[in-house]
Amino acid sequence: MAFNTTLNTLETFGSSFNTMNASQMNSTIDDQYSNNNNTTGSGGFITKVTADTIRSVINCYLIPPVALFGLIGNILSLIILGGKKMRQFTTNILLAYLAFIDTLLLLIVFMRKVPCLVAKADPITAQNIDYVMLTAPAILELITSRTSNLLSLVICCERCIAVFKPLKVKLWVTPKRMIFSVVAVTVIVIGLAAVDFNYSTVIFYYDNTKNRTVAQLMYQPFFLENQQFFNIYNNVFLTLVLRIFPMILITILTVAIITQVRRRMEWLKDITHATQNTSAENDIQAVTKMLMTIVLIYIICLVPGSISLFISLVDSRFTGRGEFRNTQRAVSSMASFLSVVNSSANFVVYIAMNQKFSDILVQMLCCFRKKHRRSDHGKVESIGTISSTLRS
């Protein structure tokens, strides 16, 4: 959502953005728009000062630590899920790739928030970094975010087959087809978003007044020649195809899966007249609960942002120049934070709901501690040997 908001804001500048001096720009395009175009009288349900405070707190103090935690967790998840000790191979292919995509997404998000931390020490350097991050890194954030969205849809489709057709799941869901699915999703998203690499660029020039090299963010000629196309393509087409429609499908499939799981559990209880099921049935239910928890977290975290994007499409008052622009900016920052929480929460879900995953994690940490102790013990023994040799 953050990149779509940036695109909406950039649209308001037109070709005059080429002539703007970098010293007249703030740390981000959104802030730049609010300072240059907002009037003091309106802006929505909240004031501009309140919106700026909310954005500052979220971007500087909430997103960086959560993104760093999620980055570490996803790296550990990728190592464990990609190992040979996990059983559900086809499912782990999907979860491992999801951890990889979320790792890239959180890394880019963390790098884009670095200027907020650097600004306290060197505002000009922070501004230069921020302008660089608003070009290709912003496009990569869009690609990884939308890929993560579609992977959640693939998870729902895989669980639908496992729940509604349990006898055919091994025949239909194979490792090769799962690999093909994740590759196809990535290729589709990259193909749809690749055109945005022609959106803007950064140039550096020497500012005599500051005695520093500063950056300037400029439109590329291809964008200036196709502004209307970019506006419709990014703010309408990509939003609907890669964000809103997948969210609707995921919600429908999630409700269907949960309903079918409950019916199946009641049916098994009626047949067996007992509360215990077979080990295979228990494994399917455990994996389904874990995957549905991941999908439910995804829905909870991304629904507010999707609603905000949809409202901005149908009502121009909730855009960067609209009547409720301050509210839109605050909601956009909150939605970005929820998106980071969604990408960071899977590691906690794996630990809480996957006993095999938590056991492997404990073994990894214990092995690391043992190796560390052995190395320290070896150093102590070598020092003792040297000292005894010197004494003799």
Side-chain angles (χ1 to χ4, degrees):
M1 178 176 180
F3 183 71
N4 291 85
T5 304
T6 303
L7 293 179
N8 285 330
T9 310
L10 280 171
E11 291 292 340
T12 61
F13 284 100
S15 59
S16 62
F17 187 77
N18 285 315
T19 61
M20 295 182 64
N21 189 282
S23 61
Q24 299 174 343
M25 300 179 183
N26 294 313
S27 59
T28 65
I29 297 298
D30 291 335
D31 293 338
Q32 177 188 119
Y33 174 78
S34 63
N35 289 336
N36 291 336
N37 295 281
N38 280 356
T39 59
T40 58
S42 61
F45 302 104
I46 61 178
T47 63
K48 177 181 177 300
V49 175
T50 304
D52 291 340
T53 302
I54 293 173
R55 287 170 57 84
S56 177
V57 171
I58 291 176
N59 293 330
C60 297
Y61 301 105
L62 293 181
I63 290 182
V66 174
L68 184 60
F69 169 79
L71 188 61
I72 297 173
N74 279 297
I75 292 175
L76 293 175
S77 300
L78 182 60
I79 295 173
I80 296 175
L81 294 172
K84 298 180 180 179
K85 297 181 179 180
M86 301 297 288
R87 292 181 180 177
Q88 293 84 9
F89 182 66
T90 54
T91 304
N92 288 340
I93 291 176
L94 182 58
L95 296 180
Y97 191 73
L98 179 61
F100 172 72
I101 291 297
D102 285 338
T103 299
L104 294 181
L105 174 60
L106 293 173
L107 179 61
I108 296 171
V109 169
F110 185 81
M111 292 175 61
R112 291 194 64 191
K113 303 307 176 184
V114 167
C116 187
L117 306 176
V118 177
K120 298 179 180 180
D122 190 348
I124 296 179
T125 300
Q127 176 180 277
N128 293 344
I129 296 174
D130 201 12
Y131 287 163
V132 172
M133 291 297 167
L134 284 172
T135 53
I139 312 298
L140 294 176
E141 181 181 350
L142 172 68
I143 292 174
T144 53
S145 175
R146 298 302 180 255
T147 303
S148 180
N149 294 346
L150 294 185
L151 287 177
S152 298
L153 180 58
V154 175
I155 289 176
C156 284
C157 294
E158 188 271 342
R159 277 301 94 185
C160 274
I161 298 175
V163 171
F164 286 92
K165 299 291 182 180
L167 299 179
K168 296 183 179 180
V169 62
K170 291 185 178 180
L171 180 63
W172 292 356
V173 182
T174 62
K176 291 184 179 180
R177 290 179 179 177
M178 192 63 66
I179 294 174
F180 174 80
S181 299
V182 297
V183 172
V185 166
T186 306
V187 172
I188 291 173
V189 175
I190 293 176
L192 292 176
V195 66
D196 286 326
F197 284 103
N198 296 313
Y199 200 92
S200 60
T201 186
V202 174
I203 63 171
F204 292 88
Y205 69 96
Y206 188 80
D207 192 338
N208 294 324
T209 60
K210 297 180 179 179
N211 197 26
R212 293 281 300 273
T213 299
V214 297
Q216 182 176 359
L217 190 63
M218 300 177 61
Y219 284 127
Q220 292 192 20
F222 181 78
F223 167 77
L224 296 176
E225 297 173 358
N226 304 275
Q227 293 188 42
Q228 186 176 3
F229 164 77
F230 271 91
N231 185 28
I232 298 175
Y233 184 78
N234 286 293
N235 301 327
V236 179
F237 178 75
L238 290 185
T239 300
L240 293 175
V241 173
L242 298 181
R243 179 68 181 258
I244 295 179
F245 288 162
M247 174 68 66
I248 296 174
L249 291 177
I250 289 171
T251 303
I252 296 174
L253 292 177
T254 301
V255 173
I257 292 171
I258 294 175
T259 303
Q260 179 65 17
V261 169
R262 289 182 177 180
R263 290 178 179 177
R264 185 174 179 80
M265 291 177 65
E266 294 176 356
W267 177 74
L268 289 173
K269 288 181 180 180
D270 293 338
I271 291 179
T272 59
H273 300 286
T275 57
Q276 295 182 352
N277 300 323
T278 63
S279 59
E281 186 67 27
N282 291 331
D283 290 340
I284 293 177
Q285 292 181 5
V287 174
T288 301
K289 289 180 181 179
M290 183 186 69
L291 295 179
M292 287 300 97
T293 302
I294 294 173
V295 173
L296 287 174
I297 293 175
Y298 164 83
I299 293 175
I300 293 172
C301 291
L302 270 72
V303 160
S306 299
I307 294 176
S308 176
L309 281 175
F310 181 77
I311 292 176
S312 66
L313 292 178
V314 299
D315 193 343
S316 60
R317 294 179 301 173
F318 288 91
T319 58
R321 265 187 169 175
E323 179 182 353
F324 301 101
R325 54 186 173 273
N326 293 332
T327 303
Q328 189 268 342
R329 293 174 66 241
V331 171
S332 174
S333 297
M334 295 177 185
S336 298
F337 174 68
L338 290 176
S339 178
V340 173
V341 171
N342 171 65
S343 299
S344 305
N346 292 345
F347 177 68
V348 179
V349 175
Y350 297 149
I351 294 176
M353 305 188 69
N354 193 323
Q355 185 64 37
K356 187 69 174 179
F357 182 92
S358 58
D359 291 342
I360 296 175
L361 179 62
V362 171
Q363 291 176 6
M364 288 177 55
L365 297 178
C366 291
C367 290
F368 176 77
R369 292 182 62 183
K370 287 181 180 180
K371 290 181 180 180
H372 181 69
R373 289 180 179 179
R374 288 176 182 175
S375 62
D376 292 342
H377 185 63
K379 291 180 181 179
V380 173
E381 288 184 345
S382 61
I383 293 173
T385 304
I386 293 174
S387 61
S388 62
T389 303
L390 292 175
R391 287 178 184 176
S392 61

